Amino acid sequence: MSSQLLVVVLVIVIFVVKFAYTGLTCPTRHLPGPWYTRFTHYRLKRAVVTGQRIFYIDSLHKQYGPIVRLAPTEVGVADLNAFKEIHKIGTKYMKSDWYLRLANFPKPGVFTMLDPREHGPRRKLLSRSFSRTYLVENWESVVREKALLALTNIKADAMKGTADVYNWWMLLASDVSAHLAFGESFGMLEMGHANQFIRVLKKLTMGAGIMVEMPFLRLLRFVPVTSVQEMFNANDFILKGAGRAVEMARSRTGEANIFAKVIEDCEKEGDGHIDDMDVRIEAMNVIIAGTDTTGVTLTYLTWAVLQRPDLQAALEAETAGLDDGFKENDLINLPLLNAVIEETLRLYGAAPSSLPRVVPKGGTNFGGHYIPQGVTVDTQAYTFHRDPEIWIDPLTQVFNPQRWIASDKGVAEALSPAAKTAVSNIDL
Ligand code: HEM
């Protein structure tokens, strides 16, 4: 046998032995699921890189039930009581290291802190600036002004023929979140396009999402092509740009800035700690978290309503009753508007995929299945939001805002009684 052939045979033998060993010893081998998921995570990975992950996992739940093996150390969970246990306040289920691998910055931020002892204080520190009272008091007029500008632009484009609703909603969401994070307007709705900082930040986030699945693509950072550099090697540019958020927050000369408040709270209360790099990273997190989510949701909402002339007319009639100077408080009392928002979030929510968490010491028992410690459990909104066991209307796939106002008892009636008990006290 030639030496090359020997190497090939050896490699094949090593692979076969590794696969067999994984399949025989994997901690999820007793759980329901396709046989090959005992041996490899490549089928799941294929679903991820082809953009099919939520549909693949949903189809496995339909076939195998609420607890299904996705890979040797990864399990899909579509059971509401289990969801509550995993995501409740003070949970012992830590974020998986997927979040760490996603982190592209010099320090972890609120998204990528795995240890609850680190994550808890940071979240507490940021949450005051996101309280409803603080936001309404300090930011309502800014949001209102930008929303009006977005609508004026959509109307002007529509009068000319076609309005790119997605573009304007994305600019609205980027402008609001950038203003919150930096304390000054980026003026993108006025320009009609994103500025360089936002454009590169979005590319960098996309690059991070790609690299977390295919780490070898990190090598692309050495390719001297601007568009590739922006996606895989723009950290320095972005961190430098985010220095402006620190400047504005520390000087406190500009308009309201959520980080000026965070720093003030930190100094006043004496708990938590936030340095300049933390402010840069959290400012970018706010923009990343607030832009695509809100822009995409608003686009789906517009699309869902415009397809239903009756619904559009009813919504117009409801909002026609508002005074010109209406406030956020007045909108809370509009049942149809709120039902349309809830139903859009249910069917087209912008975060439908897994929120991976790790089973703590001692393992757990979900739906009669023991899951050992260290296994990653994935809960995905896409499946929960379409589960006929959870929603009172069996046509769960249909966009039906009425489900949220079907009873005079309020929106909670959209959920089945069992689901209502299970979802109480969930902390996302
Ligand atoms: C329709 C809009 C939105 C949706 C569907 C959404 C969804 C979510 C989900 C599912 C998580 C949990 C992520 C995980 O555990 O992996 C999350 C976390 C977070 N979101 Fe949003 N979000 C939206 C808008 C926003 C906005 C506008 C902001 C800020 C301006 C924001 C800031 C955050 C932050 C800071 C976290 C991390 C919280 C933590 O780890 O403690 N989100 N969001």
Side-chain angles (χ1 to χ4, degrees), residues 87 95 98-99 110-111 119 123 126 130 177 180 282 285-287 289-291 293-294 297 345 349-351 354-357 428:
H87 295 288
K95 286 181 173 176
W98 178 86
Y99 290 87
V110 69
F111 263 110
H119 177 259
R123 187 178 162 126
L126 297 181
F130 284 100
S177 48
L180 277 172
E282 299 300 2
N285 279 341
V286 166
I287 298 176
T291 301
T293 44
T294 317
T297 304
L345 287 169
S354 305
L355 307 176
R357 301 292 189 265
L428 267 183

Side-chain angles (χ1 to χ4, degrees), residues 46-57:
R46 194 179 100 197
V48 176
V49 296
T50 53
Q52 297 294 308
R53 183 182 170 113
I54 52 171
F55 308 116
Y56 172 62
I57 295 180

Side-chain angles (χ1 to χ4, degrees), residues 19-20 44 83 95 185 202 216 237 277 289 314 330 370:
F19 268 51
L44 181 63
F83 184 98
K95 286 181 173 176
S185 184
K202 287 185 84 168
F216 59 93
F237 170 80
M277 183 55 82
D330 303 310
Y370 175 70

Side-chain angles (χ1 to χ4, degrees), residues 128-374:
R128 297 189 194 115
S129 300
F130 284 100
S131 73
R132 185 167 175 267
T133 321
Y134 172 77
L135 287 175
V136 169
E137 238 169 59
N138 294 278
W139 290 94
E140 184 166 10
S141 58
V142 174
V143 175
R144 188 190 170 90
E145 194 183 304
K146 291 186 194 299
L148 274 175
L149 189 52
L151 283 177
T152 309
N153 291 337
I154 289 174
K155 196 168 173 187
D157 280 0
M159 302 291 264
K160 283 186 239 148
T162 322
D164 186 344
V165 171
Y166 171 74
N167 178 50
W168 290 116
W169 287 148
M170 287 298 249
L171 288 178
L172 171 64
S174 326
D175 245 355
V176 169
S177 48
H179 201 153
L180 277 172
F182 277 65
E184 61 185 358
S185 184
F186 279 24
M188 293 177 286
L189 280 163
E190 287 85 347
M191 291 191 299
H193 57 83
N195 67 9
Q196 200 195 5
F197 180 82
I198 294 290
R199 209 171 42 75
V200 177
L201 181 60
K202 287 185 84 168
K203 276 187 151 187
L204 194 66
T205 315
M206 199 189 290
I210 294 173
M211 285 188 292
V212 76
E213 298 303 335
M214 293 176 278
F216 59 93
L217 288 181
R218 283 182 195 278
L219 291 172
L220 287 175
R221 66 203 300 261
F222 298 109
V223 176
V225 174
T226 310
S227 58
V228 179
Q229 286 287 308
E230 284 179 350
M231 196 176 264
F232 297 100
N233 196 24
N235 277 21
D236 289 347
F237 170 80
I238 287 298
L239 284 170
K240 200 162 161 239
R244 182 74 181 143
V246 180
E247 229 174 84
M248 294 294 287
R250 295 253 175 234
S251 72
R252 295 179 205 169
T253 49
E255 302 163 49
N257 170 340
I258 51 172
F259 291 104
K261 174 161 170 61
V262 167
I263 292 168
E264 198 179 298
D265 287 345
C266 200
E267 287 165 0
K268 219 166 40 194
E269 312 282 330
D271 63 353
H273 173 74
I274 193 151
D275 65 22
D276 286 359
M277 183 55 82
D278 294 322
V279 171
R280 287 175 202 226
I281 289 168
E282 299 300 2
M284 288 180 295
N285 279 341
V286 166
I287 298 176
I288 294 167
T291 301
D292 285 11
T293 44
T294 317
V296 166
T297 304
L298 284 172
T299 306
Y300 268 110
L301 187 151
T302 312
W303 171 75
V305 172
L306 291 185
Q307 282 187 90
R308 296 166 177 82
D310 290 353
L311 175 61
Q312 184 185 348
L315 204 50
E316 283 170 1
E318 188 181 70
T319 48
L322 292 166
D323 291 339
D324 276 354
F326 69 87
K327 297 273 187 203
E328 203 251 357
N329 247 338
D330 303 310
L331 301 182
I332 289 175
N333 299 321
L334 301 185
L336 187 56
L337 177 67
N338 287 287
V340 165
I341 294 170
E342 296 285 0
E343 189 67 346
T344 304
L345 287 169
R346 184 182 74 84
L347 279 185
Y348 313 120
S353 197
S354 305
L355 307 176
R357 301 292 189 265
V358 180
V359 175
K361 218 168 148 203
T364 193
N365 210 306
F366 288 150
H369 296 283
Y370 175 70
I371 307 178
Q373 67 185 54

Side-chain angles (χ1 to χ4, degrees), residues 406-427:
S407 129
D408 55 4
K409 289 195 195 115
V411 294
E413 286 304 302
L415 295 178
S416 71
K420 263 185 270 176
T421 317
V423 294
S424 59
N425 199 26
I426 287 172
D427 172 42

